[in-house]
Amino acid sequence: PAWLYADHSKINTGTATLYHARPSIAKGKTVCINAGHGTEGGSSVKTLCHPDGTPKVTGGTTEAGATEAVAVSSGMDFLDGTPEREVTVALALVVKDTLLKEGYDVLMIRESADIQLDNVARTVIANNRADCHIALHYDGTESDKGVFFFSVPSDSTYRSMEPVASHWMDHNRLGENIVKGGAICLAEGANMPTTPEAIKIIQGAGLLYSPGKASNAGGVATSGLEMSQNSMRTSWTAEEVDQYLRRIMSDIHAACVKYGTREDGTVNYVKGANIAGFIKVAGAMADQGLV
């Protein structure tokens, strides 16, 4: 194997462990299980966001425009104080046992509190020794977003670099699998992760599809509520904040229905969200005397 980009790793003294399924049930496929976080000193070291040194075009733990990110972040803490790294490794051990029983070989990146492998090293190992790479993480928000996935953004700098260039189209298959799996609705819970091609597949099959700007607006809305409290020099109870947030999300849905309803009565939430967002911004600009 080429071990492409291995030289970009900064923390790589640890070792991954490969477990084999029983020969009688072996499928000949290896799944890499990567328990997120859990690298001591990982947050004090930085590696390139992209192997070619180009800046990020999407947000996240590391903001858009950055060219470097922490080698391994420390992760978040659950409400009871449990570190995310402890939960991901516990889940990884369960997944390992399940996959082995199903006949898959399993490549474990981390099985203890600390592994000296940064995210670059983990990915390179998975790319060279596994057929599938599953990274386990927990979302940092308190709301339940359900199941969501990340795909490669429609950006030439992402899609032109290897190994993404040779594989990004595989991500569209996820949209096809959602359709085949009998789903009736897909609501994004991240910053617009679904590719335009996957959206066409999902909408073409008649599924309800809600873009992140609508269904994932709760985080931004909560930030707005926090700024409102600061401006008013007041503090709302959790119940009051939840009531405001429910009203905001309900209004967003109503706006999507208002501007996105088709002649047959179905709703194009993408169109509705886009038009509603434009009208909201245009109205605010008019109120400020800018237009």
Side-chain angles (χ1 to χ4, degrees):
W3 294 89
L4 188 64
Y5 305 127
D7 58 330
H8 290 205
S9 170
K10 300 289 183 64
I11 303 175
N12 46 50
T13 58
T15 57
T17 303
L18 177 61
Y19 294 87
H20 292 283
R22 297 197 317 272
S24 60
I25 61 171
K27 298 180 182 292
K29 296 291 183 180
T30 300
V31 179
C32 176
I33 303 299
N34 177 3
H37 313 290
T39 296
E40 187 175 348
S43 59
S44 61
V45 179
K46 288 193 173 185
T47 54
L48 290 174
C49 294
H50 299 160
D52 62 356
T54 54
K56 287 189 65 181
V57 298
T58 59
T61 303
T62 302
E63 296 182 354
T67 58
E68 291 187 328
V70 294
V72 181
S73 66
S74 58
M76 59 86 170
D77 289 337
F78 288 86
L79 294 179
D80 65 357
T82 303
E84 181 183 359
R85 63 181 180 274
E86 293 183 7
V87 182
T88 57
V89 75
L91 177 60
L93 295 173
V94 174
V95 175
K96 178 192 75 172
D97 292 341
T98 301
L99 289 174
L100 287 172
K101 291 177 182 177
E102 292 295 325
Y104 294 95
D105 294 339
V106 180
L107 178 63
M108 294 292 287
I109 294 294
R110 181 168 71 91
E111 298 180 86
S112 59
D114 173 59
I115 184 68
Q116 288 298 294
L117 293 171
D118 59 27
N119 289 330
V120 174
R122 298 180 188 204
T123 303
V124 169
I125 291 172
N127 286 347
N128 285 271
R129 286 289 183 262
D131 300 290
C132 175
H133 180 192
I134 301 176
L136 302 176
H137 290 269
Y138 285 80
D139 191 44
T141 62
E142 296 181 16
S143 60
D144 183 4
K145 294 180 178 179
V147 176
F148 60 94
F149 66 92
F150 293 95
S151 59
V152 179
S154 298
D155 186 276
S156 60
T157 61
Y158 274 61
R159 295 186 173 184
S160 62
M161 72 178 76
E162 291 292 352
V164 177
S166 299
H167 299 285
W168 70 264
M169 286 184 289
D170 293 340
H171 289 273
N172 289 346
R173 296 178 186 173
L174 181 56
E176 296 174 350
N177 289 336
I178 289 174
V179 174
K180 294 177 182 177
I184 60 173
C185 174
L186 173 64
E188 288 185 336
N191 296 324
M192 312 298 287
T194 314
T195 62
E197 294 85 356
I199 293 173
K200 290 179 180 179
I201 294 171
I202 293 167
Q203 290 183 321
L207 274 69
L208 291 176
Y209 168 72
S210 175
K213 66 180 66 178
S215 54
N216 193 39
V220 175
T222 300
S223 297
L225 294 175
E226 292 174 350
M227 289 187 287
S228 295
Q229 292 176 80
N230 292 337
S231 178
M232 296 167 63
R233 302 295 192 273
T234 188
S235 178
W236 298 327
T237 64
E239 290 75 17
E240 289 175 312
V241 172
D242 185 64
Q243 184 177 14
Y244 282 123
L245 184 58
R246 287 177 180 273
R247 185 185 307 164
I248 290 171
M249 298 305 294
S250 178
D251 289 344
I252 290 174
H253 179 266
C256 289
V257 172
K258 178 179 179 180
Y259 298 111
T261 299
R262 304 183 180 96
E263 292 183 359
D264 62 359
T266 60
V267 180
N268 184 333
Y269 283 90
V270 176
K271 176 182 177 182
N274 287 339
I275 294 176
F278 174 81
I279 291 176
K280 187 77 171 181
V281 173
M285 293 176 67
D287 290 342
Q288 295 294 322
L290 300 176
V291 293

